[in-house]
Amino acid sequence: MNQMGIIITGVGGQGIILCSDIISEAAIISGYDVKQAEVHGMSQRGGSVISHVKFGNKVFSPLVERGFCDLIIALEELEGLRYLSYLKKNGKIIVNRMKINPLSVLAGKEKYPENIDEILSLSGAIFVDGIKIAQQAGNSRAVNLVLLGAASNYIPFDENAWIKTIEKRIPERYKEVNILAFKMGKNQLRY
């Protein structure tokens, strides 16, 4: 494999950086060269957060160029739409069925777009009900691991690399529920 570019996006507090860290570490375990970069924005206030991860035989830049992204993991629908232009032809976008009003909407300056599902569907988006699955796993905060599990079906690491990385990155008391959330997300999209 030459390279794979992944964008993880959502709003502050959804665990975007943890997802990118897990992908990066699983890539290293799988023998790839990895580069990673994050833009936090106003993450402390529910603002947009985006993380880029590239891995392959040799990677020189962490940033995924517009139109060259192999996979987008969107933990919030509007954020998925915001970065849709990065997706390459035949790329995959996995979208959590969640709408979080940005500050501009909360302040009454803008309206939340009504046709996001349609636009994302036309781009071949794969929707996942991350909250429902995370709740079934035992912790509604594990949505990021549900989406990561779903996305893992399109990332060429074996399951041991994923589990080993999750075990290393997640605090002991949350490991079991997060591994379960990951596996339930993976099984949602297994074809």
Side-chain angles (χ1 to χ4, degrees):
M1 170 204 309
N2 191 22
Q3 276 188 20
M4 183 171 192
I6 300 172
I7 288 178
I8 306 100
T9 187
V11 299
Q14 288 191 295
I16 287 96
I17 306 306
L18 177 61
C19 280
S20 68
D21 289 347
I22 290 171
I23 293 169
S24 296
E25 197 158 326
I28 291 167
I29 289 171
S30 299
Y32 294 107
D33 184 31
V34 182
K35 301 288 186 279
Q36 173 184 353
E38 298 94 24
V39 177
H40 299 273
M42 292 182 56
S43 60
Q44 296 299 319
R45 298 209 164 115
S48 182
V49 178
I50 180 174
S51 182
H52 296 245
V53 177
K54 282 171 61 177
F55 64 89
N57 298 331
K58 187 66 182 158
V59 178
F60 296 99
S61 167
L63 298 179
V64 178
E65 295 177 36
R66 194 175 304 272
F68 288 91
C69 185
D70 295 286
L71 176 64
I72 296 174
I73 304 167
L75 277 78
E76 196 276 338
E77 292 181 17
L78 182 58
E79 295 304 316
L81 181 62
R82 187 184 314 261
Y83 294 101
L84 191 58
S85 65
Y86 281 78
L87 197 63
K88 74 179 190 181
K89 186 177 180 180
N90 299 321
K92 300 285 184 195
I93 179 168
I94 298 176
V95 181
N96 184 28
R97 286 223 176 263
M98 174 179 256
K99 293 179 171 90
I100 298 174
N101 288 327
L103 295 174
S104 57
V105 172
L106 293 173
K109 294 178 181 176
E110 295 179 15
K111 285 187 166 188
Y112 195 98
E114 294 180 18
N115 60 343
I116 291 176
D117 285 6
E118 288 175 39
I119 296 167
L120 291 171
S121 291
L122 289 172
S123 299
I126 300 164
F127 291 93
V128 175
D129 192 343
I131 294 171
K132 180 180 176 185
I133 297 167
Q135 287 170 338
Q136 290 170 349
N139 185 345
S140 61
R141 293 185 49 107
V143 171
N144 58 340
L145 271 290
V146 171
L147 271 286
L148 190 57
S152 73
N153 288 296
Y154 304 102
I155 303 173
F157 310 151
D158 77 26
E159 193 162 335
N160 290 333
W162 289 110
I163 301 303
K164 187 175 183 179
T165 303
I166 293 167
E167 287 176 343
K168 183 177 179 183
R169 300 289 308 181
I170 302 292
E172 186 64 42
R173 63 185 171 163
Y174 300 115
K175 281 182 189 177
E176 189 176 320
V177 71
N178 278 276
I179 290 170
L180 180 58
F182 175 86
K183 288 180 177 180
M184 289 175 76
K186 183 173 189 66
N187 290 332
Q188 278 298 121
L189 299 186
R190 198 168 273 187
Y191 303 136

